[in-house]
Amino acid sequence: MTRGSSGIGVDFDRVTKRYGNMTAVEDVSLGIRAGEFLTLLGPSGSGKTTLLMMLAGFQDITAGDIRVGGQSIAAVPPEKRNFGMVFQGYALFPHMTVRGNIEYPLDIRRMAAADMERRLGAMLDLVQLRGFEDRYPQQLSGGQQQRVALARALSFEPRVLLLDEPLGALDRKLRADVQEQLKDIHNRVGTTFIYVTHDQEEALTMSDRIAIMNRGRIVQVGSPTELYERPRTVFAASFLGKSNFITRNGRTYALRPEKIDALPAGKGSGQNKLSGTIKAITYMGATLKLMVDVPGHASIEVQVPAWRNAGQFAESQAIDICWSDDAQVEVEAGDDEKAGVPPVRPSRG
Amino acid sequence: MSSAVQTGRFNVYWLLVAPALLLVLVLYAAPILNVLLLSFADPKPGLGNYYKIVESDTVSRLIFTTIRLCLITTIASVTLGYIVAYAMLHAFSTMRQRMMSILLISFWISVLVRSFAWLMLLGHNGLLNNALMAGGIIAEPLPIMRNEFGVLIGMTEYMIPYAILPLLANMQGIDLRVTSASRSLGASNVQTFFRVFLPLTRPGIVAASLLVFISSLGFYVTPAILGGGKVQMIAEYISVQLLVTVRWGTAAMLATLMLVSVLVLMYVLNRFMRLSTVFGGGPR
């Protein structure tokens, strides 16, 4: 596969979308670099799909501007924007074969038959679907349909590819495979990928950068490592990965369960230490999940490697939990209403 | 449903249906059979009545007129119905419900009332002609009613709801994201309609056309009133044969001809599209 197109940068400049009284997207500014794999991550209703639909041209912008390669596209109709798009549910044309689907954008652009054939071949190689060109979509599995949708969206060498929860309909194991393929394809074609999902795992494994959205706003933007290790708010910490929240002296700290050590009572040491009893143990294969009741706190989740701690813990056992200062991250509270994880009340004493 | 049906064992519950079945057989199938027999037996045994299809100018012209009017009605009402169904598909839900109620109300208004309404609107002394003459735009009333054109207006108007329902059912089975996908791939609205939406509604168009055509064959009141005696279709001719000229053989032959044509069309409908796809499912 030749390196078809190279990506182009996309800038959201104070973009707002309102439906009557309802604000779906509020004052979002976000710069997406050329060739980047950027994920818009958020719960349903966070505005991520609306943002994508405004970029694709299917929704009007209420206020603000979107620029692609420095040019405003607010007034450009969807068919003139030249973005590839992979829809939720794929939206393949059921009355066309795989060939018909992939050649559709080329045919619309009046490409010569020989060029079209060559491009079709390259696309089928890219998504590993050689030999399937005369099948109809309903004769393909979900994963194959997803790849046809990808090939169709990339066949005309768009400079930006938009993906709206493209893996939602696939089963778990297949999803992991497709994630790798997508990442690989992104590396090969060099197109700017803008990926919308509510699945934190997809976001973590594929993205160059993630923009976490909540209630129409961007909460935090950064690389997966930055967001996971240094979340800025309670929402970011609890939506991307799991977090305990410890409140001390009016400050809230996020603490990942796997960064906490669990030791039999009295043996704990470290910069931070709490004593409690084990309320529940869940064996998760790689890890043991302990829910620990600590007086004055909500229960704290701890994850320890399962193989090293086999048989060490039992329910209602008294234990010490400890962690180092650099394991905890101070976060802003107050944006957490939709995160589903309430912050811990301040401990007395 | 019940396993007895599948295993072929006699299910005693069929006996509960038996009275209704018998009633239908006696009151419905038997007369039809009688009509069939009559078409071969009256006035004398043989195929004499059927030869009239080619031998009698009156009968062949009648059949030709009926087919022509039904074809034009089908094309007109499916085209107009398609537009309405398309609008209903894209309307907001409250508006769509309102449009649906209007559609259903039109089903309940008798064809007789509707025909006279058209006369009052477009007839010689109708609203339109009176207004145009009063405005000095025309000197003579436009001959819209009491001719073939008038019959077509009446038939088409009556048939549009029959076209809309199968079309709408078909359209509602289409995932509209395919049209967004088409636009994102570079196709304009018009290209998207002709290359994606229209092909996907083909089962609906075929179903609506057959339904309208079959139903149109039996039009009786509309041609009689709006045709002004100049346009005769099979149904009216049958009535004349029965009641005025008392040639039951000819009437029975024409009735049989219509029945057979309808059955053949139904067979075609069933053959080329499974009825399930026609009423709701997507293509294939």
Side-chain angles (χ1 to χ4, degrees), chain B residues 73-85:
Chain B
T73 301
T74 303
I75 292 167
S77 52
V78 170
T79 308
L80 294 171
Y82 195 95
I83 296 169
V84 177

Side-chain angles (χ1 to χ4, degrees), chain A residues 58 77-79 83 85 87-88 91-96 104-105 107-109 136 138 152 156, chain B residues 175 177-189 191-192 195-197 199-200 283-284:
Chain A
F58 297 119
E79 64 267 25
F83 299 154
M85 181 149 181
F87 288 78
Q88 211 171 356
L92 294 176
F93 304 129
H95 59 302
M96 295 182 197
Y104 183 82
D107 196 28
I108 292 283
R109 287 167 175 76
Y136 283 90
Q138 53 274 43
R152 182 179 70 175
F156 57 103
Chain B
D175 176 1
R177 279 179 294 198
V178 296
T179 59
S180 298
S182 167
R183 302 221 31 216
S184 80
L185 294 167
S188 67
N189 265 328
Q191 283 172 315
T192 298
R195 299 185 61 157
V196 176
F197 193 81
L200 289 177
R284 206 178 303 269

Side-chain angles (χ1 to χ4, degrees), chain B residues 49-88:
Chain B
N49 288 321
Y50 288 88
Y51 286 140
K52 285 185 188 159
I53 297 175
V54 281
E55 282 172 359
S56 156
D57 272 356
T58 321
V59 173
S60 59
R61 196 152 14 102
L62 180 74
I63 292 170
F64 179 70
T65 308
T66 305
I67 291 175
R68 183 162 43 92
L69 287 180
C70 290
L71 275 179
I72 298 174
T73 301
T74 303
I75 292 167
S77 52
V78 170
T79 308
L80 294 171
Y82 195 95
I83 296 169
V84 177
Y86 189 85
M88 285 175 79

Side-chain angles (χ1 to χ4, degrees), chain B residues 36-284:
Chain B
L36 188 64
L37 286 177
L38 215 56
S39 73
F40 291 106
D42 185 275
K44 54 181 190 294
L47 290 171
N49 288 321
Y50 288 88
Y51 286 140
K52 285 185 188 159
I53 297 175
V54 281
E55 282 172 359
S56 156
D57 272 356
T58 321
V59 173
S60 59
R61 196 152 14 102
L62 180 74
I63 292 170
F64 179 70
T65 308
T66 305
I67 291 175
R68 183 162 43 92
L69 287 180
C70 290
L71 275 179
I72 298 174
T73 301
T74 303
I75 292 167
S77 52
V78 170
T79 308
L80 294 171
Y82 195 95
I83 296 169
V84 177
Y86 189 85
M88 285 175 79
L89 183 73
H90 289 90
F92 287 113
S93 63
T94 49
M95 182 51 109
R96 179 160 51 213
Q97 277 159 18
R98 225 169 286 161
M99 292 170 90
M100 187 55 96
S101 351
I102 294 173
L103 194 70
L104 291 177
I105 288 168
S106 78
F107 265 117
W108 301 329
I109 299 176
S110 130
V111 64
L112 198 66
V113 174
R114 291 208 230 172
S115 297
F116 282 116
W118 278 117
L119 276 185
M120 288 164 81
L121 271 175
L122 302 178
H124 203 79
N125 289 315
L127 270 175
L128 181 73
N129 273 327
N130 282 348
L132 288 179
M133 294 207 339
I137 299 165
I138 51 170
E140 286 287 302
L142 295 172
I144 305 173
M145 285 293 143
R146 300 212 179 276
N147 55 29
E148 199 174 298
F149 187 66
V151 175
L152 284 172
I153 290 180
M155 284 172 67
T156 303
E157 185 259 348
Y158 189 80
M159 280 299 154
I160 286 176
Y162 290 86
I164 293 173
L165 292 180
L167 281 169
L168 187 63
N170 168 244
M171 286 179 188
Q172 282 172 335
I174 296 173
D175 176 1
L176 284 180
R177 279 179 294 198
V178 296
T179 59
S180 298
S182 167
R183 302 221 31 216
S184 80
L185 294 167
S188 67
N189 265 328
V190 175
Q191 283 172 315
T192 298
F193 178 79
F194 284 106
R195 299 185 61 157
V196 176
F197 193 81
L198 191 60
L200 289 177
T201 54
R202 217 184 54 179
I205 295 172
V206 173
S209 301
L210 281 171
L211 186 66
V212 169
F213 187 80
I214 289 171
S215 313
S216 303
L217 285 173
F219 262 107
Y220 173 60
V221 174
T222 311
I225 296 174
L226 301 183
K230 283 171 271 178
V231 186
Q232 207 166 38
M233 287 175 66
I234 287 184
E236 195 188 352
Y237 189 77
I238 290 175
S239 148
V240 170
Q241 299 301 308
L242 284 176
L243 305 174
V244 182
T245 58
V246 200
R247 282 189 301 190
W248 284 44
T250 313
M253 178 274 288
L254 286 170
T256 309
L257 187 71
M258 262 172 76
L259 188 67
V260 170
S261 327
V262 167
L263 288 177
V264 167
L265 285 172
M266 291 292 273
Y267 176 76
V268 170
L269 176 74
N270 221 346
R271 187 72 200 273
F272 283 92
M273 18 224 28
R274 263 165 279 140
L275 283 170
S276 61
T277 44
V278 167
F279 295 104
R284 206 178 303 269

Side-chain angles (χ1 to χ4, degrees), chain A residues 84-87 90-94 96 98 100-106 123 127 146-158 161, chain B residues 177-178 180-182 184-185:
Chain A
M85 181 149 181
V86 178
F87 288 78
Y90 321 133
L92 294 176
F93 304 129
M96 295 182 197
V98 169
N101 270 281
I102 297 177
E103 289 186 346
Y104 183 82
L106 310 177
M123 283 300 130
V127 297
Q146 199 271 337
R147 274 137 67 195
V148 175
L150 189 65
R152 182 179 70 175
L154 285 171
S155 65
F156 57 103
E157 301 187 339
L161 182 71
Chain B
R177 279 179 294 198
V178 296
S180 298
S182 167
S184 80
L185 294 167

